[in-house]
Amino acid sequence: MNNISGTELFNWYQQARKTANLANIELLEIDMILTELTELDSLALKLKIYQDKKQISSQVSLEQLNKIWKLRTEKHYPIQYLIGQCYWRNFCLKVTPDVLIPRPETELIIDLVQEIIAQYPHFAEGNFLDLGTGSGSIALGLADTFAQGKIYAT
């Protein structure tokens, strides 16, 4: 764990807002990074009540935070890779550049399977195969939705 002073983090936040605007990146992404990588929550960020704290726990140093933000603003690196996770359906999935980031459209696959199962309920206890699994999102979504089925992911 690292510690960053509230003043340092507040200054970083103000600079990050400027670079986000210049790079046409939503300001919300700054908050996402900070809420995932530090002890701060969205309310503390919104009210700026952290700036007088002597120490704020962080998974990364201020230098690493700068590098992460540069990757986002200069190289348009996906935020999910920067924070190491992706929220999908009711899951928080670990993601790295080794796998594709599950998209909201991927959720439609589970929805389509649910529609088919509604027409053919006996399929719910069948076998499901997720080829080229990657992050595991489809297999996890199927397992969560069809607990009585057998899910194979490879």
Side-chain angles (χ1 to χ4, degrees), residues 1-151:
M1 261 315 171
N2 296 280
N3 288 311
I4 304 172
S5 80
T7 302
E8 288 175 318
L9 199 55
F10 180 76
N11 291 336
W12 179 87
Y13 187 86
Q14 297 308 313
Q15 186 59 44
R17 288 177 59 89
K18 291 176 186 172
T19 56
N21 284 326
L22 291 172
N24 203 24
I25 292 174
E26 289 188 46
L27 299 176
L28 179 63
E29 293 191 24
I30 303 167
D31 290 4
M32 287 176 65
I33 289 172
L34 291 178
T35 56
E36 293 297 332
L37 299 179
T38 72
E39 67 182 43
L40 299 175
D41 60 24
S42 58
L43 184 61
L45 292 169
K46 187 175 211 84
L47 299 177
K48 299 178 177 87
I49 58 175
Y50 62 92
Q51 59 186 321
D52 293 328
K53 288 183 93 175
K54 289 188 184 213
Q55 293 185 356
I56 296 169
S57 271
S58 175
Q59 295 174 33
V60 296
S61 67
L62 192 58
E63 181 181 324
Q64 291 168 314
L65 192 57
N66 279 321
K67 286 179 184 177
I68 288 169
W69 191 239
K70 273 189 162 189
L71 283 172
R72 181 66 189 123
T73 57
E74 295 176 10
K75 300 194 186 271
H76 300 283
Y77 207 73
I79 193 162
Q80 295 90 340
Y81 291 152
L82 296 173
I83 62 175
Q85 57 194 21
C86 174
Y87 294 96
W88 185 84
R89 286 184 91 83
N90 57 335
F91 299 102
C92 177
L93 303 172
K94 179 179 178 180
V95 292
T96 69
D98 297 330
V99 299
L100 294 174
I101 298 164
R103 300 286 176 213
E105 297 83 12
T106 309
E107 293 185 35
L108 293 175
I109 294 170
I110 306 303
D111 296 339
L112 290 170
V113 174
Q114 283 179 306
E115 289 175 17
I116 292 168
I117 298 294
Q119 292 177 344
Y120 306 98
H122 64 282
F123 285 175
E125 296 179 19
N127 296 315
F128 297 90
L129 177 61
D130 177 10
L131 291 172
T133 297
S135 68
S137 61
I138 295 172
L140 288 168
L142 290 169
D144 186 54
T145 306
F146 306 107
Q148 65 277 26
K150 289 186 180 178
I151 315 299

